[in-house]
Amino acid sequence: MTQGTTGPLVLGIETSCDETGIGLVRGSTLLANTIASSMDQHARYGGVVPEVAARAHLEALTPTLTTALETAGVSLHDVDAIAVTSGPGLSGALMVGVGAAKALAVSLGKPLYAVNHLVGHVGADILSGDDVEYPTVALLVSGGHTSLLLARDLTSDVELLGETIDDAAGEAFDKVARLLGLPYPGGPEIDKAAASGDPKAIRFPRGLSLPKDMEKHRYDFSFSGLKTAVARWVEQRQDAGENVPIADVAASFREAVVDVLVTKAIAACTDLGVPRLLLGGGVVANARLREVAIARADAAGIALRIPPLSLCTDNGAMIAALGAQLIEAGHAPSGLDFGADSTLPVTSIQA
């Protein structure tokens, strides 16, 4: 399935949100994975501001590229092909990466592959060093996406099973953290606060998990109602003049999110007869999510794969890896007539 150290040297560019990622991959071997995050710039606003993200990409792209090349010990002229995220993501942020990739491709005379950000997360597992088996179910959880995919073949057949119909899981973490007076980004802060809390202290709702919901939204997610339920619970305590047990609220909220994510992912594996589950996206850094996924997958006889956390967040290495796999599978380059597509469907693996 992979070419190892003998494959093409691919430069990957990822600018879909607030991280400027440059990766260099030869075949399935990771040579460099350099990331510049603009998270601190967004913290004052309590969330990602698209215009700020785009400007940060412009400023970070060249130094990040230089660092990645130095880390890999190669030059731009050594690169065999360039891969770039063309969507989905923030339009302005995507445009920066797409523009840079086209400029490099033209100036260097290299083939260019425009690839799907979400499928890139699945491709990150190629860099773990083990052979990847298909089909696999993939649960991708981040600040902007919560998606359940079925990858029958990484380069030609990826199906969207379900996705969030409102807030993404990472977005819900940010909003609840703000509600509890915790800093941005909310995921790590909720994780810290929850460590000393009781996950059974408060029974928060599990969105789209009732029988009436499962018929139509079996693999879809909803976290808006959960966020509202937390807000109302906190408000009631405050109105009554009582202290809000932040640790218990954080732990109970986290448990509700994790329960829904893992339950639906395991259900997809069982329903479809696919004994493999891959986790991806920045929220995979959540300790409880990994813990519950490992336990439930083991109980269900499902092989669970979690790439290194540095490859779970948005990064250029996963984009380079997907590009390398497209080359190996014989796919032609994308050319130059594609644009940034903020709503690119997961079925469009390559633009």
Side-chain angles (χ1 to χ4, degrees), residues 189-199 201 245-252 254:
E189 298 299 328
I190 291 285
D191 224 15
K192 290 178 190 174
S196 59
D198 179 4
I246 292 177
D248 286 346
V249 174
S252 299
R254 182 181 69 171

Side-chain angles (χ1 to χ4, degrees), residues 215-309:
E215 186 174 335
K216 183 180 179 181
H217 295 287
R218 183 167 183 79
Y219 304 130
D220 290 323
F221 304 92
S222 172
F223 299 106
S224 180
L226 170 60
K227 173 197 64 182
T228 301
V230 175
R232 287 177 177 169
W233 195 93
V234 170
E235 288 169 1
Q236 288 173 357
R237 292 294 293 254
Q238 292 173 334
D239 290 344
E242 301 175 5
N243 290 328
V244 175
I246 292 177
D248 286 346
V249 174
S252 299
F253 162 75
R254 182 181 69 171
E255 197 70 8
V257 174
V258 169
D259 187 17
V260 170
L261 291 172
V262 178
T263 297
K264 287 181 177 267
I266 295 295
C269 291
T270 303
D271 295 345
L272 300 171
V274 177
R276 287 172 288 275
L277 175 62
L278 168 71
L279 300 187
V283 178
V284 175
N286 186 283
R288 184 59 178 163
L289 175 57
R290 297 197 307 275
E291 179 184 357
V292 173
I294 290 170
R296 293 195 191 173
D298 183 63
I302 294 169
L304 179 68
R305 296 183 67 95
I306 307 176
L309 295 184

Side-chain angles (χ1 to χ4, degrees), residues 116-278:
N116 191 294
H117 171 81
L118 295 179
V119 182
H121 276 296
V122 182
D125 197 38
I126 291 169
L127 303 174
S128 64
D130 299 323
D131 289 336
V132 182
E133 295 184 70
Y134 296 100
T136 185
V137 171
L139 174 64
L140 308 181
V141 194
S142 68
H145 304 283
T146 302
S147 306
L148 200 54
L149 314 180
L150 173 61
R152 298 183 184 90
D153 183 274
L154 181 66
T155 62
S156 64
D157 190 354
V158 178
E159 176 186 349
L160 177 66
L161 298 176
E163 60 186 342
T164 181
I165 64 173
D166 41 55
D167 292 346
E171 185 180 2
F173 272 96
D174 290 337
K175 290 179 177 178
V176 170
R178 189 184 313 139
L179 183 70
L180 297 176
L182 300 175
Y184 175 86
E189 298 299 328
I190 291 285
D191 224 15
K192 290 178 190 174
S196 59
D198 179 4
K200 298 180 180 180
I202 311 157
R203 175 69 185 184
F204 287 127
R206 272 66 170 161
L208 298 183
S209 294
L210 296 175
K212 65 180 180 67
D213 298 317
M214 290 292 280
E215 186 174 335
K216 183 180 179 181
H217 295 287
R218 183 167 183 79
Y219 304 130
D220 290 323
F221 304 92
S222 172
F223 299 106
S224 180
L226 170 60
K227 173 197 64 182
T228 301
V230 175
R232 287 177 177 169
W233 195 93
V234 170
E235 288 169 1
Q236 288 173 357
R237 292 294 293 254
Q238 292 173 334
D239 290 344
E242 301 175 5
N243 290 328
V244 175
I246 292 177
D248 286 346
V249 174
S252 299
F253 162 75
R254 182 181 69 171
E255 197 70 8
V257 174
V258 169
D259 187 17
V260 170
L261 291 172
V262 178
T263 297
K264 287 181 177 267
I266 295 295
C269 291
T270 303
D271 295 345
L272 300 171
V274 177
R276 287 172 288 275
L277 175 62
L278 168 71

